[in-house]
Amino acid sequence: LSTAVLLSLFVSFTLDPMLSSIWPDPDAAHQHDRLNGRVSFRKRPIAWLLDEFQRLLDRLTNLYSHILAWSLRHRLITVLIAIGSLVAAFFAVGLVGKEFVPQADMNEIKVKFETPVNANLDYTQQKAAQVNAVLQSFPEVTNTYATVNAMSYSGNNRVQVNVSLVPKDERTRGLDALNRAMREQLQQVGGIKVTSVAAAAMAVSGGLKPIMISIKGNDLTELQRLSNEFMQKLSNVNGLVDLESTLKQPKSMVNVTINREAANDAGLSIGQIGQALRPLLAGDNVSTFKDDNGNNIDVNVRLNDDNRQTISQLQSMYLSSSRMDQNGQPMLVPLSQVANFSETLGAPQINRRSLFREVVVQANTDGRPAGDIGADITKIQNEMKLPPGYSFAVQGSNKDMAESIGYATTALGLAIVFIYMLLGSQFNSFLYPVAIMASLPLSLIGVFFALFLFGSSLNMFSIIGIIMLMGLVCKNAILLIDFIKESLSKGLSRNEAIMLAGQTRLRPILMTTAAMVMGMVPLALGIGEGSEQQAPMAHAIIGGVITSTLLTLIVVPVIYTYLDDGKQRFLRLFAKKKAEPPAIERHDSL
């Protein structure tokens, strides 16, 4: 954008004056023909169209002159109308959804599901084939690709399916409708739990779910209770789907408790027992071999599955002792002699953050922006009474949006400061830039109403559009104020200068505004893959430019008159104090 603005500035200083010098003025040429008796009554279609457009601009100028004259006579009413419109715009913010980035339709959907915790790989593979069959039954699906134990979704019971769709202009259903239909169909597949059905194009958020709430504490059992209660309350929130927790279903485990005294009597240490059990149960990579494709594959050696399924099989394992038998050979000690066995349930994975154990509750959104859902979640968090030492923390896209809004606010503040400094140096005044910058808040009226009318949300891209507006909307007020100052220097009265400035500058203001709006229309229409993310920026710019132009033409001259009145009062007061003679001290003598 900065490069484009600099190039347009260069063209306006070089190419435009050159073209104006060789391009004939139609009005001047027509006047010359009339003076020489060569008036043509047959106009070409283009000339007729331009004449009609000229008459339309003349009627707009006449209408604008009446509105501006009325505004100068009723200045207080005009300012109150502008303030009321701004207040109404801020109320309209509540009607606009809030999210970090909009969902982009890249013709791909990612489905994730889980089988039971203790399911083996063959069972998970069978369920993946069933899910593929369900997904391929949709006419919008071209192909599917399922991965078990993927790097980003690890576990023998976890499956990730990438679903490719036909282009969106060939579909009758959008992503939201397809996600909803697929989620409903997959609920019919037994033995699985669907954890996510969402658009695959989530590069900005790293592919994570938009709603992520962290619960931190010390005791895992208490975290389990709190997360279950929290998820029960979240299930009633409108727009939340695919609700899950990182604290998965407990997995059956066998605890092996070593009897230290018995192990010492048998000549076994804790380290020896652990080093003996690990390769037998978990396996040990002892070598590698190269396949026909040249890939190196690890050779893992461990007990056969049939020999490590039950506790009795573990108890019958023999360990080599450091003590010798009568033949001078190491004694073989059964594991049941030195250890106790118990079957229990345990968490398959324990996460930690900031020295605390953590459970993250995640969810996707359906039909509502993540920012609006985040407000409902905050109410639930405030209602829940956490024990001492336990806390909530917002993660995911809502946290990213809060951080981004902070950065955007800083950038917006710096932009306003720089604009004021530049205008102050240009007009050699600290007062007149205030009238010009009054067009900045007026642009927000159109921004919020345009987002509401287009059905867009307040997100990172629309915020970027608001920041861009700060540099675009000031140009109209600059044209007006500069012409007013020039007219005042020629001896016109203030109202005459304002009326002349409005009539003269109306056409260039309308032309530049129309050019910016038309340039943003293709982006606002959301044509092409992934255009849903950039469209809110165009919506914000179009609404802001239109309303700022309409209100700037009326409100800025009125604000200028108020500032000029204040300046004149200050100058008269200063001149009066300066003209007063100094007080003379009198002394009476006897």
Side-chain angles (χ1 to χ4, degrees):
L1 178 63
S2 301
T3 304
V5 171
L6 291 176
L7 288 176
S8 67
L9 180 65
F10 175 76
V11 170
S12 64
F13 284 166
T14 56
L15 183 62
D16 290 347
M18 184 272 292
L19 291 177
S20 299
S21 65
I22 62 175
W23 202 313
D25 185 357
D27 291 338
H30 183 65
Q31 183 69 19
H32 181 269
D33 291 340
R34 291 187 61 186
L35 292 177
N36 290 275
R38 297 194 303 267
V39 179
S40 176
F41 295 98
R42 296 184 60 188
K43 295 184 178 180
R44 290 173 294 179
I46 296 179
W48 177 84
L49 183 63
L50 292 177
D51 288 344
E52 290 297 321
F53 186 68
Q54 175 66 38
R55 282 190 284 270
L56 175 62
L57 288 179
D58 291 339
R59 288 194 292 269
L60 285 177
T61 303
N62 187 37
L63 176 63
Y64 168 63
S65 299
H66 286 85
I67 296 175
L68 181 59
W70 184 91
S71 300
L72 293 176
R73 292 193 303 269
H74 306 84
R75 295 188 301 172
L76 182 59
I77 297 177
T78 303
V79 173
L80 290 178
I81 292 175
I83 295 175
S85 302
L86 186 60
V87 172
F90 279 104
F91 277 108
V93 178
L95 304 176
V96 177
K98 304 170 186 64
E99 58 186 340
F100 182 49
V101 290
Q103 178 179 269
D105 190 345
M106 300 298 292
N107 305 324
E108 290 186 9
I109 293 177
K110 185 172 292 185
V111 177
K112 295 181 180 180
F113 68 91
E114 297 178 354
T115 56
V117 176
N118 295 319
N120 56 32
L121 193 59
D122 292 335
Y123 179 83
T124 304
Q125 188 174 359
Q126 294 175 5
K127 293 301 177 182
Q130 296 180 25
V131 170
N132 272 335
V134 171
L135 294 175
Q136 290 176 1
S137 65
F138 285 85
E140 294 88 353
V141 175
T142 58
N143 59 75
T144 59
Y145 182 80
T147 307
V148 181
N149 194 13
M151 184 176 298
S152 59
Y153 199 56
S154 59
N156 289 340
N157 67 319
R158 294 183 173 184
V159 183
Q160 176 177 294
V161 185
N162 294 327
V163 183
S164 299
L165 307 174
V166 298
K168 66 178 183 179
D169 54 352
E170 300 177 11
R171 288 186 265 120
T172 58
R173 290 186 288 187
L175 277 186
D176 290 336
L178 278 174
N179 291 341
R180 206 172 297 118
M182 289 180 179
R183 193 177 292 112
E184 292 176 357
Q185 290 293 326
L186 292 177
Q187 299 298 332
Q188 309 301 323
V189 180
I192 68 170
K193 178 184 177 182
V194 179
T195 59
S196 178
V197 180
M202 295 295 291
V204 179
S205 60
L208 301 176
K209 291 186 177 181
I211 301 297
M212 297 178 64
I213 307 297
S214 168
I215 309 175
K216 293 184 292 185
N218 291 318
D219 184 42
L220 198 61
T221 304
E222 183 65 16
L223 285 175
Q224 178 76 67
R225 185 190 69 81
L226 291 174
S227 62
N228 291 339
E229 180 184 354
F230 187 51
M231 291 179 66
Q232 179 63 32
K233 294 179 180 295
L234 290 182
S235 62
N236 299 322
V237 175
N238 181 31
L240 272 185
V241 292
D242 302 333
L243 193 63
E244 66 168 334
S245 167
T246 56
L247 192 59
K248 300 299 182 181
Q249 180 182 357
K251 188 175 184 180
S252 60
M253 305 173 65
V254 175
N255 282 342
V256 180
T257 306
I258 305 299
N259 188 332
R260 294 178 179 270
E261 293 181 359
N264 186 46
D265 293 340
L268 294 172
S269 65
I270 302 298
Q272 287 177 313
I273 297 175
Q275 290 175 1
L277 289 179
R278 187 185 62 80
L280 293 177
L281 301 179
D284 198 4
N285 294 333
V286 297
S287 179
T288 60
F289 79 93
K290 185 175 293 186
D291 62 7
D292 296 337
N293 296 325
N295 299 319
N296 291 325
I297 300 176
D298 294 331
V299 177
N300 186 273
V301 178
R302 67 176 178 178
L303 282 176
N304 195 357
D305 292 345
D306 297 336
N307 297 325
R308 51 185 178 87
Q309 293 295 325
T310 63
I311 293 179
S312 60
Q313 291 174 335
L314 298 179
Q315 290 174 337
S316 62
M317 289 183 180
Y318 284 85
L319 304 177
S320 179
S321 172
S322 60
R323 295 185 180 182
M324 303 297 175
D325 58 9
Q326 296 177 355
N327 299 323
Q329 299 295 326
M331 295 178 59
L332 295 178
V333 180
L335 185 58
S336 59
Q337 180 178 331
V338 296
N340 299 319
F341 296 83
S342 61
E343 191 171 355
T344 183
L345 296 176
Q349 179 177 325
I350 300 176
N351 299 328
R352 290 182 177 272
R353 183 187 295 269
S354 303
L355 302 180
F356 289 96
R357 290 181 175 180
E358 179 192 46
V359 176
V360 179
V361 177
Q362 311 174 59
N364 284 325
T365 60
D366 181 22
R368 290 184 67 196
D372 294 354
I373 296 177
D376 295 340
I377 295 176
T378 302
K379 295 179 181 178
I380 296 176
Q381 294 176 6
N382 295 332
E383 293 173 357
M384 288 186 61
K385 295 181 179 180
L386 298 181
Y390 294 82
S391 61
F392 285 111
V394 178
Q395 305 290 335
S397 62
N398 284 341
K399 178 183 178 183
D400 296 337
M401 183 176 182
E403 294 177 351
S404 301
I405 288 179
Y407 300 143
T409 302
T410 302
L412 188 62
L414 290 175
I416 293 174
V417 171
F418 290 152
I419 290 173
Y420 181 79
M421 293 171 59
L422 181 62
L423 294 177
S425 61
Q426 179 182 355
F427 288 97
N428 195 23
S429 171
F430 293 104
L431 191 62
Y432 294 131
V434 176
I436 296 174
M437 295 181 67
S439 58
L440 300 182
L442 297 178
S443 65
L444 298 179
I445 301 173
V447 168
F448 298 138
F449 278 109
L451 293 177
F452 173 71
L453 293 176
F454 281 103
S456 297
S457 61
L458 185 64
N459 52 65
M460 200 59 231
F461 291 96
S462 54
I463 290 175
I464 292 175
I466 293 174
I467 296 176
M468 293 172 59
L469 273 176
M470 298 303 102
L472 296 176
V473 300
C474 285
K475 62 175 186 59
N476 298 334
I478 292 174
L479 291 174
L480 285 176
I481 300 301
D482 182 67
F483 197 94
I484 291 172
K485 289 191 62 178
E486 182 180 352
S487 300
L488 290 175
S489 63
K490 295 179 180 179
L492 294 179
S493 65
R494 188 177 67 184
N495 280 8
E496 291 175 345
I498 293 175
M499 294 297 298
L500 181 60
Q503 296 170 1
T504 307
R505 295 303 191 191
L506 177 63
R507 180 180 296 187
I509 289 176
L510 293 179
M511 291 299 101
T512 54
T513 299
M516 280 191 290
V517 170
M518 297 304 295
M520 286 292 171
V521 165
L523 189 61
L525 294 178
I527 302 174
E529 295 182 358
S531 58
E532 295 85 359
Q533 290 187 338
Q534 291 82 19
M537 178 174 64
H539 299 161
I541 292 177
I542 289 175
V545 167
I546 291 177
T547 56
S548 69
T549 299
L550 297 178
L551 293 176
T552 296
L553 289 169
I554 299 172
V555 178
V556 168
V558 174
I559 295 178
Y560 172 82
T561 59
Y562 276 115
L563 293 175
D564 188 62
D565 289 342
K567 177 182 177 182
Q568 298 302 326
R569 291 194 200 96
F570 177 78
L571 292 177
R572 286 195 297 268
L573 181 62
F574 181 77
K576 182 178 179 181
K577 289 185 176 180
K578 189 175 180 180
E580 290 179 354
I584 301 176
E585 187 176 355
R586 298 178 59 186
H587 298 278
D588 294 334
S589 57
L590 296 175

